[in-house]
Amino acid sequence: MPWKTLDDMDLAGKTVLVRVDINVPMEGGRVTDMTRIDKIRPTVDDILAKGGKPVLLAHFDRPKGRVVPEMSLGHVVTALEGSLGRKVVFGSDCVGEAAAAAIAKAGPGEVVLLENTRFHPGEEKNDPELAAQMAKLGQVFVNDAFSAAHRAHASTEGLARLLPSAAGRLMAAELKALEAALGSPERPVVAVVGGAKVSTKIELLANLVTKVDHLVIGGGMANTFLVAEGIEVGQSLAEREMAEMAREIRHRAQKSGCQIHLPVDVVVAREFKAGADSQVVSVLKCPPDAMILDAGPETVKQLEGVFAGARTLIWNGPLGAFEIEPFDAATKAAAQAAARLTREGKLVSVAGGGDTVAALNAAGVAADFTFISTAGGAFLEWMEGKELPGVKALMG
């Protein structure tokens, strides 16, 4: 890999500025999902083991360059201490005297958390002066926030230019998994892309058809591709104005030898609600007063065959309206098939995106995938083939 990791750095006696993503959901002053906090522990533990003092830099919510008390990182200190099993010293600013005092106060084995970087307007503007003030606080920079790597901010890109830098354990694992999925994968490669709208994933689809052997399109996006082929989809969600773009993506796929897979049967209903009366019909026979809300069992059976013949799977987005039963069936069944092949050592499976993670958790198979990315925008931009500023900066 063209970037350094913690294994390449001498951290003994050094203050290590660590960019993390602990932008976690909260309710009533309590953290409701610890996933992002729990995932930074390996990096923190390794820095301490190598004799360094970890100083965490992070954003929280969108204060837009103002101090907003409800968006203070002070609210996550208790959850952070519980996860890390260590005392966390909180600094009321991420630069200046308050930050320096918190760092000085932390003893051996303790961790420092500095205040929300986005309280400063210079953070999102990647202000060199703000980055320089942050850099004064430490001797080494470690970026462990892949989920923020698509942003050129002072604490993600600017700092990496000013201090000896490395990828943290989570960042390194993410980059390694994505390289295995799209950079130099074992073939054949299958990509599953679902979701509501083609318009939000044009760049993704255009890039994937030049990189993968099979592209499975699900969710509302599939309806748009069906419309582009002259197939009636009744009252289904579909972007009819995107039909020409769908045909262009199919043309690109044919030129590059990528096979596109659309549903062959679908689950339709007249209402979009839990437990609504539904039926399975051929994709060619959607009733004019019904909506397509999931892929059907024959489609799932075909996908299982595609997965069985593949070596690498990359997944972003559900195959249907997975939030509501019974329209979660195709996503669950396909995910379970991928998980089984992964457990058997026949498939490298990488998934990412909020809906995808939720769907895999609902299917009970998240732990079986080779790697699940907690990054949203950064994961998508990587799949789109874009350069991520926070990653590029680590390469020097």
Side-chain angles (χ1 to χ4, degrees):
M1 293 292 179
W3 47 80
K4 291 181 177 177
T5 70
L6 294 180
D7 299 324
D8 304 310
M9 310 299 282
D10 175 15
L11 304 181
K14 294 179 180 175
T15 298
V16 184
L17 305 180
V18 192
R19 181 56 161 94
V20 295
D21 182 0
I22 49 175
N23 189 21
V24 290
M26 298 193 71
E27 210 171 275
R30 292 175 59 86
V31 175
T32 56
D33 184 346
M34 289 287 290
T35 305
R36 285 182 166 175
I37 288 177
D38 290 340
K39 281 182 176 288
I40 70 171
R41 181 168 180 167
T43 294
V44 171
D45 284 350
D46 282 359
I47 289 169
L48 286 164
K50 289 169 75 74
K53 179 186 285 190
V55 176
L56 308 183
L57 292 164
H59 73 277
F60 190 72
D61 214 325
R62 300 176 183 270
K64 300 187 184 301
R66 296 175 297 115
V67 175
V68 181
E70 304 84 64
M71 298 180 191
S72 170
L73 278 167
H75 298 306
V76 306
V77 168
T78 301
L80 197 57
E81 288 184 328
S83 177
L84 298 177
R86 301 177 184 279
K87 178 175 172 54
V88 174
V89 177
F90 182 66
S92 58
D93 200 348
C94 63
V95 291
E97 292 181 11
I103 293 169
K105 182 180 176 184
E110 296 180 350
V111 177
V112 180
L113 173 65
L114 299 182
E115 185 55 282
N116 193 340
T117 57
R118 290 187 182 173
F119 281 0
H120 290 268
E123 162 69 342
E124 294 187 74
K125 295 174 184 173
N126 199 8
D127 177 19
E129 178 55 35
L130 180 63
Q133 290 180 46
M134 292 177 181
K136 287 179 186 174
L137 300 171
Q139 290 86 45
V140 176
F141 173 63
V142 170
N143 194 340
D144 209 29
F146 176 80
S147 50
H150 59 314
R151 309 286 189 216
H153 291 175
S155 68
T156 59
E157 202 267 357
L159 255 181
R161 304 285 185 195
L162 301 174
L163 294 174
S165 301
R169 297 303 187 204
L170 179 59
M171 171 76 93
E174 189 105 31
L175 294 174
K176 183 179 178 183
L178 293 178
E179 175 65 19
L182 271 186
S184 50
E186 285 192 57
R187 292 192 173 277
V189 183
V190 181
V192 174
V193 180
K197 295 183 176 182
V198 170
S199 55
T200 61
K201 295 189 177 180
I202 290 170
E203 292 178 85
L204 171 61
L205 296 172
N207 184 50
L208 286 178
V209 293
T210 67
K211 298 278 185 73
V212 306
D213 304 291
H214 299 270
L215 175 60
V216 175
I217 299 177
M221 294 173 58
N223 300 336
T224 300
F225 275 80
L226 294 171
V227 166
E229 295 190 1
I231 296 171
E232 291 299 325
V233 296
Q235 303 300 307
S236 308
L237 171 68
E239 292 177 288
R240 296 174 189 276
E241 71 281 6
M242 297 301 295
E244 186 55 42
M245 179 55 68
R247 285 190 284 270
E248 170 62 22
I249 288 169
R250 186 177 269 288
H251 177 65
R252 288 190 196 183
Q254 286 171 343
K255 280 176 64 177
S256 59
C258 170
Q259 186 176 348
I260 289 181
H261 300 266
L262 296 171
V264 294
D265 63 340
V266 289
V267 180
V268 299
R270 271 78 181 173
E271 295 178 281
F272 180 41
K273 68 175 188 179
D277 286 339
S278 62
Q279 62 186 125
V280 177
V281 298
S282 160
V283 75
L284 301 174
K285 295 183 178 178
C286 175
D289 62 339
M291 307 173 259
I292 297 172
L293 293 174
D294 199 11
E298 184 58 36
T299 300
V300 172
K301 187 177 175 184
Q302 289 191 10
L303 291 187
E304 288 174 351
V306 173
F307 292 175
R311 293 292 297 150
T312 302
L313 167 69
I314 186 162
W315 189 320
N316 176 260
L319 299 176
F322 79 99
E323 312 95 324
I324 296 179
E325 293 184 350
F327 311 116
D328 57 348
T331 301
K332 281 187 173 178
Q336 285 162 355
R340 184 182 67 253
L341 290 165
T342 305
R343 285 196 304 271
E344 292 170 357
K346 297 173 181 175
L347 191 66
V348 172
S349 52
V350 177
D355 282 352
T356 312
V357 176
L360 298 183
N361 281 329
V365 298
D368 292 320
F369 270 57
T370 307
F371 188 82
I372 291 192
S373 171
T374 54
F379 181 79
L380 269 179
E381 290 197 19
W382 180 283
M383 287 178 71
E384 288 167 2
K386 292 180 179 174
E387 195 168 65
L388 306 186
V391 174
K392 185 183 178 186
L394 291 179
M395 299 180 191

